[in-house]
Amino acid sequence: SFVSSSSSQPVSLFSTSQVHDLIFWRDVKKTGFVFGTTLIMLLSLAAFSVISVVSYLILALLSVTISFRIYKSVIQAVQKSEEGHPFKAYLDVDITLSSEAFHNYMNAAMVHINRALKLIIRLFLVEDLVDSLKLAVFMWLMTYVGAVFNGITLLILAELLVFSVPIVYEKYKTQIDHYVGIARDQTKSIVEKIQAKLPGIAKKKAE
């Protein structure tokens, strides 16, 4: 079951520390495998349809498991052994998702969904003018990004950044923090000037 015996909370597939170690290349072999596999999959999706990629992946997996099953059956027949099914240990694993675990996952998902809906309402109904303007500017910039890149290309770039930026930042943290601090101060100064000129914002701050 996915539910821990010591707690009613669902067991996470990946802990924060595992993700951290993965993107910081603590285990080069593991990170290399994950990075290479996902990158090949994304490149395949960029070249072929989703149906084709999924079909080929399933065929590849079935080819491996069927070949191994036949191989072990032949070996057992020749050696006249009684080892049984080669995947018996995996077939006996309990992967049942209990109703309690399902409800825990759904409750956790609903928290994020409700938070996202509240944020969307705030932005589109202009509760805070500056935040709504920020969203408008961001969406305007994304129209140019969308004209150059498609979704798969952006995912490929995102993966390259996820597996490269953290390790680069860790190595050059001091220099990067210095320039980020300068950029943050300049951005804050510009935002404050804009807020001072917008009607109602200065008054709201004074209150």
Side-chain angles (χ1 to χ4, degrees), residues 172-184:
Y172 302 101
K173 184 177 185 300
T174 303
Q175 297 92 320
I176 293 173
D177 285 346
H178 171 69
Y179 290 109
V180 169
I182 293 174
R184 185 187 296 116

Side-chain angles (χ1 to χ4, degrees), residues 105-116:
Y105 282 118
M106 288 301 298
N107 290 335
M110 287 304 299
V111 171
H112 295 291
I113 291 173
N114 290 331
R115 189 177 301 164

Side-chain angles (χ1 to χ4, degrees), residues 12-84:
S12 299
L13 296 178
F14 299 101
S15 66
T16 304
S17 61
Q18 287 177 319
V19 175
H20 178 275
D21 292 344
L22 194 66
I23 63 176
F24 279 90
W25 295 78
R26 298 293 185 251
D27 187 332
V28 177
K29 290 183 179 180
K30 183 184 293 185
T31 300
F33 173 77
V34 173
F35 174 67
T37 302
T38 52
L39 184 60
I40 290 173
M41 184 177 297
L42 289 173
L43 290 173
S44 300
L45 289 172
F48 306 101
S49 68
V50 176
I51 295 176
S52 296
V53 173
V54 172
S55 298
Y56 280 122
L57 286 174
I58 293 174
L59 282 173
L61 180 60
L62 284 173
S63 298
V64 172
T65 55
I66 291 173
S67 300
F68 185 73
R69 176 76 168 87
I70 294 173
Y71 168 77
K72 293 296 291 185
S73 297
V74 172
I75 294 297
Q76 290 176 26
V78 172
Q79 297 179 349
K80 297 181 180 180
S81 62
E82 297 292 337
E83 294 181 7

Side-chain angles (χ1 to χ4, degrees), residues 16-206:
T16 304
S17 61
Q18 287 177 319
V19 175
H20 178 275
D21 292 344
L22 194 66
I23 63 176
F24 279 90
W25 295 78
R26 298 293 185 251
D27 187 332
V28 177
K29 290 183 179 180
K30 183 184 293 185
T31 300
F33 173 77
V34 173
F35 174 67
T37 302
T38 52
L39 184 60
I40 290 173
M41 184 177 297
L42 289 173
L43 290 173
S44 300
L45 289 172
F48 306 101
S49 68
V50 176
I51 295 176
S52 296
V53 173
V54 172
S55 298
Y56 280 122
L57 286 174
I58 293 174
L59 282 173
L61 180 60
L62 284 173
S63 298
V64 172
T65 55
I66 291 173
S67 300
F68 185 73
R69 176 76 168 87
I70 294 173
Y71 168 77
K72 293 296 291 185
S73 297
V74 172
I75 294 297
Q76 290 176 26
V78 172
Q79 297 179 349
K80 297 181 180 180
S81 62
E82 297 292 337
E83 294 181 7
H85 199 290
F87 298 118
K88 180 174 175 55
Y90 299 101
L91 291 171
D92 292 338
V93 173
D94 182 16
I95 59 172
T96 303
L97 181 64
S98 68
S99 59
E100 183 180 5
F102 176 78
H103 287 301
N104 286 334
Y105 282 118
M106 288 301 298
N107 290 335
M110 287 304 299
V111 171
H112 295 291
I113 291 173
N114 290 331
R115 189 177 301 164
L117 290 174
K118 185 177 181 181
L119 178 61
I120 290 171
I121 291 173
R122 284 185 62 252
L123 291 172
F124 282 94
L125 298 184
V126 199
E127 180 181 2
D128 188 310
L129 181 58
V130 174
D131 288 341
S132 296
L133 287 173
K134 288 179 182 177
L135 176 63
V137 171
F138 177 73
M139 289 296 103
W140 177 68
L141 293 174
M142 289 302 295
T143 61
Y144 289 95
V145 174
V148 179
F149 305 105
N150 59 30
I152 295 297
T153 306
L154 289 176
L155 287 176
I156 293 172
L157 291 175
E159 179 175 11
L160 293 174
L161 290 174
V162 166
F163 284 95
S164 60
V165 171
I167 191 68
V168 171
Y169 175 74
E170 186 179 48
K171 189 174 182 180
Y172 302 101
K173 184 177 185 300
T174 303
Q175 297 92 320
I176 293 173
D177 285 346
H178 171 69
Y179 290 109
V180 169
I182 293 174
R184 185 187 296 116
D185 291 340
Q186 291 179 345
T187 303
K188 183 179 179 181
S189 176
I190 293 172
V191 171
E192 288 177 349
K193 289 179 181 178
I194 294 174
Q195 289 178 336
K197 294 180 179 180
L198 288 174
I201 300 295
K203 184 179 179 180
K204 183 178 178 182
K205 282 189 171 184

